[in-house]
Amino acid sequence: DTEVTQTPKHLVMGMTNKKSLKCEQHMGHRAMYWYKQKAKKPPELMFVYSYEKLSINESVPSRFSPECPNSSLLNLHLHALQPEDSALYLCASSQGVNSHTEAFFGQGTRLTVV
Amino acid sequence: GDSVTQMEGPVTLSEEAFLTINCTYTATGYPSLFWYVQYPGEGLQLLLKATKADDKGSNKGFEATYRKETTSFHLEKGSVQVSDSAVYFCALGGGGSQGNLIFGKGTKLSVKP
């Protein structure tokens, strides 16, 4: 199983809402990632979890709050977002965080903030 | 720091044409190199990888060779199909404090019947 599963596939939320994005993998990978992708751009790294601990936070605003409940699950909690936060949010996982391991990506959550 | 530069396109080809998408990199170490593909409305899929100099990655008719002397990892396919229409990203393994992958800007390929 080389699948990373993200839910929901689409999400529309108001600027005062609280919502969560979910990601799951069963490949035994110990590193998990959140990326943000705007139209016609490459993915931008947001957060990296290694062995369930946050190892990288790329200066992401606090309205985005990651959580890694266990080695298979990764959540992204959203609160008080702005319209410019509308994007495709991609989850990925890899065996480790080094320069030789490939990452496996989910299908993404298409987020629209209204 | 490490970086990837790829031709931005868009690239438009007729079916059965030869494809080349150029990718060059700057790296302090000897990272692995990757090509990812993103079909419309989907996430990224790993297309191929190469882990060291002179390695050739291949998959679904696509090939790329890790060239240390020219710091390049160009993607090629001998005969493209309409179904190959997608955005292609070249990436290098950043590791360490740079996270996992450093992406190029992506090249959109459109193949016409």
Side-chain angles (χ1 to χ4, degrees):
Chain A
D1 181 7
T2 58
E3 197 170 281
V4 176
T5 304
Q6 289 188 243
T7 55
K9 198 172 171 85
H10 301 277
L11 178 62
V12 179
M13 60 184 290
M15 289 188 282
T16 58
N17 291 159
K18 286 185 181 181
K19 297 286 185 183
S20 296
L21 309 185
K22 297 185 182 301
C23 175
E24 189 170 7
Q25 57 89 13
H26 294 289
M27 294 178 277
H29 289 170
R30 304 315 300 261
M32 296 186 77
Y33 312 80
W34 282 114
Y35 286 86
K36 174 183 178 180
Q37 187 181 26
K38 301 285 271 184
K40 300 185 181 181
K41 297 289 187 183
E44 296 175 27
L45 184 66
M46 299 175 73
F47 302 105
V48 180
Y49 274 84
S50 179
Y51 289 85
E52 300 163 48
K53 291 186 179 171
L54 184 64
S55 62
I56 294 176
N57 175 344
E58 292 286 356
S59 303
V60 179
S62 60
R63 57 186 184 268
F64 295 92
S65 175
E67 178 196 21
C68 189
N70 60 54
S71 60
S72 300
L73 295 173
L74 186 66
N75 299 321
L76 186 63
H77 303 297
L78 314 173
H79 173 55
L81 295 193
Q82 303 297 309
E84 60 264 29
D85 296 322
S86 298
L88 181 68
Y89 288 83
L90 294 163
C91 174
S93 70
S94 66
Q95 285 188 331
V97 182
N98 63 62
S99 62
H100 294 289
T101 55
E102 62 266 39
F104 294 86
F105 285 81
Q107 293 292 293
T109 294
R110 176 74 61 188
L111 175 67
T112 303
V113 181
V114 297
Chain B
D2 293 1
S3 64
V4 173
T5 302
Q6 67 178 103
M7 57 187 284
E8 291 187 34
V11 174
T12 302
L13 295 174
S14 297
E15 206 163 23
E16 299 184 4
F18 184 84
L19 169 71
T20 300
I21 300 178
N22 290 338
C23 172
T24 57
Y25 67 91
T26 302
T28 52
Y30 301 96
S32 287
L33 297 172
F34 309 91
W35 277 101
Y36 281 84
V37 59
Q38 186 173 32
Y39 298 101
E42 297 187 9
L44 276 70
Q45 298 176 27
L46 178 66
L47 182 59
L48 54 85
K49 69 177 281 190
T51 57
K52 60 184 187 297
D54 299 325
D55 266 4
K56 178 187 281 188
S58 61
N59 186 26
K60 299 181 181 179
F62 291 89
E63 293 183 340
T65 301
Y66 191 157
R67 301 278 188 206
K68 185 166 174 282
E69 63 277 12
T70 54
T71 62
S72 65
F73 192 55
H74 304 322
L75 183 68
E76 296 182 336
K77 187 176 186 183
S79 176
V80 295
Q81 306 300 312
V82 172
S83 56
D84 294 325
S85 298
V87 179
Y88 293 81
F89 292 97
C90 183
L92 69 84
S97 63
Q98 298 182 69
N100 181 242
L101 292 168
I102 297 169
F103 287 98
K105 293 188 175 181
T107 302
K108 183 175 181 180
L109 170 66
S110 296
V111 181
K112 307 297 184 188

